[in-house]
Amino acid sequence: MPQHFSGRLLAVGHLGRVANLILRPDWHLPATALTLETAFRSRRAFLRRLGIAGVGTLVGAATLRAAETAPRYPAKRNPQFNPGWRLTNERLAANYNNFYEFSFDKEEVAPLSQKLSLKPWPIEIGGLCEKPMTLEAEELAALFPLEERVYRFRCVEAWSMVVPWTGFPLQRLIEKVVPKSDARFIRMVTLDRPAEMPGFQKMPRYPWPYTEGLRLDEALHPLTLMATGIYGKALPKQHGAPVRLVVPWKYGYKSIKSVVKIEFVRDQPKTFWETLAPDEYPFESNVNPKVPHPRWSQAFERVIDTGERLRTQPFNGYGDQVARLYAKP
Ligand SMILES: Nc1nc2c(c(=O)[nH]1)N[C@H]1C(S)=C(S)[C@@H](COP(=O)(O)O)O[C@H]1N2
Ligand SMILES: [Mo]
């Protein structure tokens, strides 16, 4: 038996469905060496399919754990976020996207984003924190239990949808890396890969890469989600694979897609849209029907699949949970 295949790896308790048929936890006597060899080979094949290079002794336990727990969709819906709303049509949501790295045309994003390569996808978590780390998107997702949450989503362009995200609270990750006391904001950055992102060329004057930010207390709010899936599956590329932010009480552009960097900073970071038009897209950007965009009203919103016209709610309907963050002393 290969040395790195004993003990620690077999001890992985929460094995995926397929792996479970073959692998047994430590306390279970391994049946035969043949079983283990089969398991080992299928593990390698699995990792190869995931595109993880150099499978062998160099692969960390976390990577293997990530791969082994990969069949994680659909995740269990968190009943706290199961309000019984009608979900937006999945196909429509997947073909009506804002993702300027690919196109400003919402219907072009889905086809143009398909050539984006997701492996490898290292994510750097650093800046003002005690335990900075860089890890693969899959490893990151494997650190936490995934859950499904149904959230309302409101774009600044006055359209909205209701979608089931799969992910983990950003708070969990922040606790893991331990922000330093002078960290007051968090900054996130999207992949910067012009060769696979035609929007860079179409919009050369835009301040690429796409950058967003939150106050640390907003980032720590239990509603703030790191999403790895939608509609019970891994995120399709147009929705921000492999991992994106979801902040349901803010305009959609705060929910940055395809994140490669998460940084703790002292000063309020400049964001992509704020850099382009500070009067139109300020840093805070809470959904607020009373504050019109300089070029249109925010009082109503159009539901993207039914065309229904709804009155926009303060904080996109999440006021009970988040208004305290903005209470004036
Ligand atoms: N990197 C990146 N993230 C982004 C955007 C973008 O252009 N690039 N658009 C934002 C806007 S304006 C919206 S409304 C949402 C759209 O998310 P969806 O296409 O998954 O519905 O993504 C946000 N995140
Ligand atoms: Mo948006």
Side-chain angles (χ1 to χ4, degrees):
M1 178 174 23
Q3 206 260 314
H4 61 281
F5 185 53
S6 59
R8 193 170 55 155
L9 293 175
L10 280 173
V12 173
H14 43 288
L15 299 169
R17 200 157 32 87
V18 176
N20 222 353
L21 298 173
I22 306 164
L23 292 175
R24 290 166 182 87
D26 244 353
W27 39 263
H28 191 289
L29 281 179
T32 63
L34 178 67
T35 310
L36 292 168
E37 181 56 24
T38 310
F40 179 61
R41 263 199 246 113
S42 68
R43 181 202 313 276
R44 290 184 70 106
F46 185 50
L47 290 171
R48 228 177 294 118
R49 254 182 287 128
L50 291 177
I52 296 168
V55 177
T57 47
L58 292 178
V59 174
T63 304
L64 291 167
R65 195 154 56 238
E68 282 166 353
T69 55
R72 304 178 80 192
Y73 303 95
K76 194 167 181 286
R77 187 171 294 178
N78 183 333
Q80 263 188 284
F81 304 95
N82 186 14
W85 297 325
R86 188 194 65 84
L87 298 182
T88 295
N89 177 275
E90 177 181 353
R91 269 246 236 123
L92 210 136
N95 288 283
Y96 189 83
N97 304 100
N98 274 332
F99 203 162
Y100 275 57
E101 285 85 338
F102 296 99
S103 177
F104 48 75
D105 177 339
K106 291 180 179 42
E107 278 150 35
E108 234 176 51
V109 170
L112 288 177
S113 59
Q114 295 317 308
K115 75 169 178 191
L116 178 67
S117 120
L118 301 179
K119 313 248 164 81
W121 195 282
I123 299 176
E124 186 190 334
I125 304 155
L128 302 170
C129 63
E130 303 292 346
K131 300 178 179 167
M133 52 172 100
T134 298
L135 70 190
E136 271 296 306
E138 259 134 15
E139 295 180 276
L140 174 66
L143 293 176
F144 311 101
L146 298 183
E147 62 180 69
E148 185 174 76
R149 296 183 178 193
V150 177
Y151 278 173
R152 306 194 67 246
F153 189 93
R154 169 60 158 84
C155 175
V156 74
E157 299 162 335
W159 53 262
S160 71
M161 58 185 186
V162 174
V163 294
W165 300 107
T166 304
F168 58 87
L170 176 57
Q171 184 181 27
R172 294 280 100 77
L173 173 59
I174 295 176
E175 286 162 358
K176 209 164 220 40
V177 298
V178 193
K180 293 186 174 166
S181 58
D182 50 348
R184 291 174 53 233
F185 294 89
I186 193 164
R187 175 176 176 266
M188 294 196 191
V189 184
T190 295
L191 181 74
D192 184 356
R193 193 184 289 158
E196 290 181 10
M197 296 173 142
F200 282 71
Q201 226 178 0
K202 274 183 265 180
M203 294 159 276
R205 286 169 205 282
Y206 278 23
W208 309 109
Y210 197 98
T211 306
E212 258 304 339
L214 294 172
R215 285 176 2 200
L216 192 56
D217 61 341
E218 295 172 328
L220 284 166
H221 192 281
L223 281 174
T224 304
L225 199 69
M226 290 307 281
T228 60
I230 190 169
Y231 291 101
K233 290 163 237 164
L235 279 178
K237 293 173 182 181
Q238 65 269 31
H239 277 304
V243 60
R244 58 101 50 94
L245 180 69
V246 180
V247 193
W249 71 95
K250 293 179 180 283
Y251 289 119
Y253 55 85
K254 298 296 290 184
S255 294
I256 181 173
K257 293 175 168 180
S258 305
V259 171
V260 292
K261 189 172 182 178
I262 301 175
E263 195 178 14
F264 295 85
V265 294
R266 188 173 23 222
D267 301 317
Q268 183 176 304
K270 269 264 178 284
T271 72
F272 180 85
W273 286 110
E274 190 196 12
T275 305
L276 275 170
D279 302 339
E280 302 187 18
Y281 313 107
F283 183 85
E284 188 172 87
S285 290
N286 294 324
V287 174
N288 188 346
K290 292 210 184 102
V291 178
H293 183 278
R295 292 181 279 131
W296 60 84
S297 161
Q298 295 291 23
F300 291 89
E301 63 202 50
R302 179 182 51 86
V303 179
I304 58 170
D305 58 346
T306 61
E308 191 184 356
R309 190 164 177 262
L310 299 180
R311 205 172 270 286
T312 290
Q313 303 297 310
F315 301 108
N316 198 25
Y318 295 97
D320 287 351
Q321 290 98 309
V322 303
R324 64 176 170 82
L325 292 176
Y326 310 100
K328 301 259 151 53

